[in-house]
Amino acid sequence: MSGVVPDPSSPPSPSGDPNLGAVVVGEEALQARIAELGREITADFAGRPPLLVGVLKGAFMFMADLARHIDLPVEFDFMAVSSYGSSTRTSGVVRIVKDLDADLTGRHVLLVEDIVDSGLTLRYLRQNLSARNPASLDVCALLVREGAHEVAQDLRYVGFSIGSDFVVGYGLDVAERYRSLPYLCAWAGPT
Ligand code: IMP
Ligand code: MG
């Protein structure tokens, strides 16, 4: 039985979509870094398996891939917050749209985020989750925006630091689109 052979000539972005710019992090680089993060987390959390808390919707793909590289009996929970409308600018307002199912008391919580931009979402989540008495609370962010770190203190695990381009793909959206792309690319459409 033969597998599917990837076509090396296939374009990096869905062809004909003028709203997609350059690839910012390609699929191979993403997967290699995520495997590394998984190994680090496996070593750091040996003997105290984490509860992975994914922030929907942006972190769903990262969380799924990351978890497959953590060789520990992890558990999962999700919460959904809304900090952006359908535009590419932050509203500065964070709202819990879906709360966790799990009680965090005494748990080793690893918060999994897609991107820390202004850091407002993370600041809010940290405060909110630490008030629930976890044994520990650490953050794993796939992306951090360079220069936007004032309130983004203490990121224990970071995949990549990126520039000012708004990015889509690999879970990240603009107006709910492009989340399924297996790589990250710059948004070149209207903002
Ligand atoms: P912050 O509160 O400014 O740190 O924004 C965090 C949230 O804004 C992320 O969880 C994303 O949902 C969204 N966001 C920020 N930058 C981008 C981007 O470049 N692409 C897609 N979503 C983004
Ligand atoms: Mg978003």
Side-chain angles (χ1 to χ4, degrees):
M1 225 172 68
S2 67
V4 177
V5 179
D7 174 6
S9 69
S10 57
S13 313
S15 54
D17 191 330
N19 289 327
L20 292 181
V23 173
V24 173
V25 187
E27 188 170 359
E28 265 183 47
L30 267 175
Q31 293 302 328
R33 181 67 185 127
I34 291 167
E36 250 171 40
L37 289 172
R39 285 192 291 272
E40 270 183 61
I41 291 166
T42 301
D44 294 348
F45 284 84
R48 48 176 197 117
L51 172 67
L52 301 183
V53 169
V55 184
L56 296 173
K57 302 171 196 166
F60 82 99
M61 205 172 279
F62 174 43
M63 175 124 146
D65 283 342
L66 179 67
R68 279 176 271 199
H69 292 285
I70 302 175
D71 190 13
L72 295 170
V74 296
E75 292 179 24
F76 297 86
D77 206 344
F78 292 93
M79 64 193 295
V81 298
S82 162
S83 57
Y84 276 77
S86 59
S87 90
T88 56
R89 276 179 288 272
T90 183
S91 64
V93 176
V94 181
R95 187 168 59 94
I96 293 186
V97 176
K98 179 218 175 291
D99 205 350
L100 298 172
D101 296 325
D103 176 359
L104 300 189
T105 312
R107 304 299 301 267
H108 294 285
V109 174
L110 183 58
L111 185 64
V112 181
E113 258 284 29
D114 55 355
I115 177 168
V116 178
D117 187 357
S118 69
L120 288 173
T121 305
L122 184 61
R123 186 174 61 178
Y124 173 82
L125 286 173
R126 255 184 199 292
Q127 280 169 0
N128 186 287
L129 298 183
S130 33
R132 306 185 197 193
N133 300 312
S136 64
L137 175 59
D138 290 290
V139 177
C140 178
L142 177 63
L143 304 171
V144 169
R145 182 88 64 202
E146 277 163 15
H149 297 193
E150 317 95 62
V151 275
Q153 355 68 1
D154 272 349
L155 297 177
R156 183 153 183 196
Y157 306 98
V158 172
F160 300 89
S161 180
I162 63 164
S164 55
D165 277 345
F166 194 88
V167 293
V168 297
Y170 201 70
L172 287 86
D173 72 307
V174 60
E176 298 301 328
R177 286 208 50 209
Y178 304 110
R179 293 191 196 275
S180 60
L181 298 177
Y183 47 82
L184 288 154
C185 70
W187 168 246
T191 54

